[in-house]
Amino acid sequence: MNYEKISISDFCKTGSGGTPSRRNLEFYKGSIPWIKSGELKEDIIYDSEEKISAEAIENSSAKIISNKAILVAMYGATIGRVAMLGVDAATNQAICNIIPDSKRADNRYLFYALQNAVPVLLSRKVGGGQPNISQTIIKDTKIPLPPIKEQKRIAAILDKADAIRRKREKAIELADEFLKSVFLYMFGDPVTNPKGWPEYKLSEISELKSGVTKGRKLDGKKTIAVPYMRVANVQDGHIIIDDLKEIEVLETDVEKFQLNVGDLLLTEGGDPDKLGRGAVWKGEINPCIHQNHIFRVRPDEKRILPEYLSKQIGSARGKRYFLSSAKQTTGVASINMTQLKNFSALVPPMSLQKEFCEIAAKLESIKNKMIDKLTNQEHLFNSLTQRAFRGDL
């Protein structure tokens, strides 16, 4: 059944928050959660990075929003992100809060409907440097609005499907945490090195190389198109190959920048908390090269194994080193080849490294199966969502 689509403004109250003056430190010593748009990362928000006082509320445009209100990020890195308040809280001005008329709309139904409408919201964003979706755009957005009883039925079905999806996500997170615990148990804290493992500069135990530069002039020269690794492809602990792009390079470049199984790929920079982000190349595509914003580290596997080195660089030891030595500008940090070469790596006995890598490989196999199940569950959830808002559920 197709239900009439109604504008948000017809059955909801909307508003935005504000930022109390940073000059008054007392404003930020209260107990009221104050949520910034960048914190809209979970579906339900129970807490905030900062708290403000009642005085801050009185002396700014921030206001307390009731539990179960829907939040939409209007600009910033999380633009279009939809969440629901799990507590009474205030927000900054980059968040639109939406409170439905309880006689006409169910909060959970509205939450799912707005999530489903995100592509529409983003298609209407305006602005160049910092795109935004205004309150007006949100208020004008139309969603199907069946009778409240039907809304609750749809929300209950989606809640159950979402719960299964989240359990699978949690299982994957626990697998990652387990491997970190195994690493600490076998090798000790990599920051303090309590077991006294010998230390070597990364350049002493591996070959390091930057990648091919994009945009070079190759007029009149014989070229070949090959897949290449961009920064977006190299995540923390895994490689994304779904959206691989190709680049025109000289034939000699393919051999020069060719990735081999066991190469560790590290990004040059990005958000400060993501410095040292990298993963081991497992030969997913051949041939494949890498661009110059990615470092290729080819370990001497007689001395140090790629998977072990990857976990060490991704640990607190690596992150602290890169953060302390990186060049930082507004919100962005980067490292250069010299700094990477000087990273001091801990090198325990090869037998211990092999034992760890065997455990990591078994856990990776289990994790991949869980990821496959999660992917299937996400397809099911998306299918249910589409059917729900077409009136077919």
Side-chain angles (χ1 to χ4, degrees):
M1 181 182 294
N2 290 324
Y3 297 105
E4 183 182 2
K5 290 189 175 183
I6 308 294
S7 296
I8 295 295
S9 59
D10 287 346
F11 63 96
C12 297
K13 292 180 180 179
T14 65
S16 62
T19 300
S21 174
R22 291 284 185 182
R23 295 178 181 177
N24 191 332
L25 299 182
E26 295 301 314
F27 284 173
Y28 291 87
K29 293 182 179 179
S31 59
I32 300 169
W34 180 66
I35 299 161
K36 302 183 288 292
S37 59
E39 296 175 63
L40 301 193
K41 297 175 181 176
E42 301 295 332
D43 284 350
I44 302 180
I45 307 296
Y46 292 104
D47 203 357
S48 61
E49 295 171 354
E50 296 181 279
K51 306 288 193 300
I52 59 176
S53 64
E55 186 182 6
I57 296 288
E58 294 171 5
N59 291 277
S60 73
S61 54
K63 56 188 72 69
I64 297 178
I65 310 302
S66 62
N67 178 19
K68 294 188 179 180
I70 310 300
L71 307 180
V72 180
M74 295 188 287
Y75 54 87
T78 54
I79 182 173
R81 186 74 174 85
V82 179
M84 178 182 285
L85 272 180
V87 293
D88 291 351
T91 74
N92 72 357
Q93 62 274 18
I95 293 176
C96 174
N97 63 76
I98 305 171
I99 302 174
D101 178 346
S102 60
K103 294 179 181 178
R104 298 188 64 190
D106 175 73
N107 293 67
R108 291 297 295 172
Y109 173 85
L110 178 58
F111 167 75
Y112 288 123
L114 281 168
Q115 277 196 328
N116 189 59
V118 166
V120 175
L121 289 172
L122 293 178
S123 71
R124 299 180 65 192
K125 64 186 177 183
V126 296
Q130 188 179 46
N132 68 86
I133 47 177
S134 65
Q135 271 197 69
T136 300
I137 291 173
I138 294 170
K139 289 161 69 173
D140 289 346
T141 299
K142 294 184 176 184
I143 65 167
L145 202 65
I148 193 96
K149 184 177 180 180
E150 178 66 6
Q151 291 180 42
K152 290 181 181 294
R153 185 186 76 86
I154 290 171
I157 292 172
L158 295 179
D159 278 344
K160 288 179 182 178
D162 189 48
I164 295 172
R165 182 178 64 166
R166 296 200 175 280
K167 284 181 181 178
R168 298 205 187 283
E169 288 176 343
K170 186 63 178 177
I172 293 169
E173 289 176 13
L174 289 174
D176 289 334
E177 290 301 317
F178 175 73
L179 189 58
K180 289 178 183 177
S181 297
V182 170
F183 185 94
L184 289 173
Y185 175 76
M186 294 182 69
F187 305 110
D189 183 351
V191 174
T192 58
N193 189 21
K195 301 196 177 186
W197 306 125
E199 301 183 25
Y200 296 90
K201 287 184 178 181
L202 195 57
S203 58
E204 296 179 297
I205 54 174
S206 62
E207 172 198 318
L208 296 94
K209 192 173 186 62
S210 186
V212 66
T213 302
K214 290 181 63 180
R216 294 180 303 163
K217 292 183 179 180
L218 302 173
D219 299 341
K221 298 178 181 178
K222 188 174 182 181
T223 62
I224 183 173
V226 291
Y228 75 105
M229 286 283 108
R230 299 171 292 131
V231 171
N233 299 118
V234 181
Q235 298 298 308
D236 195 4
H238 65 282
I239 303 287
I240 295 175
I241 60 170
D242 296 342
D243 64 341
L244 270 188
K245 298 186 183 298
E246 291 190 341
I247 186 172
E248 289 284 338
V249 296
L250 301 174
E251 289 183 332
T252 54
D253 287 335
V254 177
E255 183 178 353
K256 187 188 300 183
F257 300 110
Q258 169 77 44
L259 295 178
N260 292 344
V261 174
D263 285 346
L264 174 58
L265 304 180
L266 298 171
T267 58
E268 179 185 66
D271 295 338
D273 63 339
K274 293 182 175 64
L275 277 176
R277 186 179 81 187
V280 177
W281 178 251
K282 297 177 181 177
E284 290 87 343
I285 290 177
N286 187 47
C288 187
I289 63 176
H290 60 113
Q291 73 163 144
N292 61 319
H293 294 301
I294 293 174
F295 297 114
R296 184 194 75 195
V297 180
R298 186 164 290 167
D300 177 354
E301 295 192 33
K302 293 180 180 178
R303 304 177 68 184
I304 193 163
L305 297 179
E307 195 64 43
Y308 163 76
L309 179 59
S310 176
K311 291 296 183 290
Q312 184 184 146
I313 288 178
S315 73
R317 181 183 183 84
K319 294 185 185 301
R320 286 192 184 191
Y321 170 77
F322 293 129
L323 195 57
S324 65
S325 58
K327 176 183 176 182
Q328 297 198 41
T329 55
T330 311
V332 178
S334 61
I335 55 173
N336 58 39
M337 179 65 81
T338 300
Q339 291 161 339
L340 183 59
K341 286 181 176 180
N342 287 332
F343 173 72
S344 181
L346 306 179
V347 183
M350 182 55 67
S351 59
L352 204 59
Q353 292 185 50
K354 285 182 177 179
E355 184 181 350
F356 172 77
C357 290
E358 287 172 2
I359 294 171
K362 290 177 182 177
L363 196 61
E364 185 71 16
S365 176
I366 295 171
K367 184 178 164 183
N368 285 338
K369 291 177 182 177
M370 291 192 290
I371 290 173
D372 287 341
K373 289 181 179 179
L374 174 60
T375 300
N376 291 335
Q377 189 61 37
E378 286 178 337
H379 288 325
L380 172 61
F381 180 80
N382 291 336
S383 174
L384 286 172
T385 301
Q386 294 301 317
R387 289 175 57 194
F389 298 112
R390 285 200 311 264
D392 296 336
L393 193 58

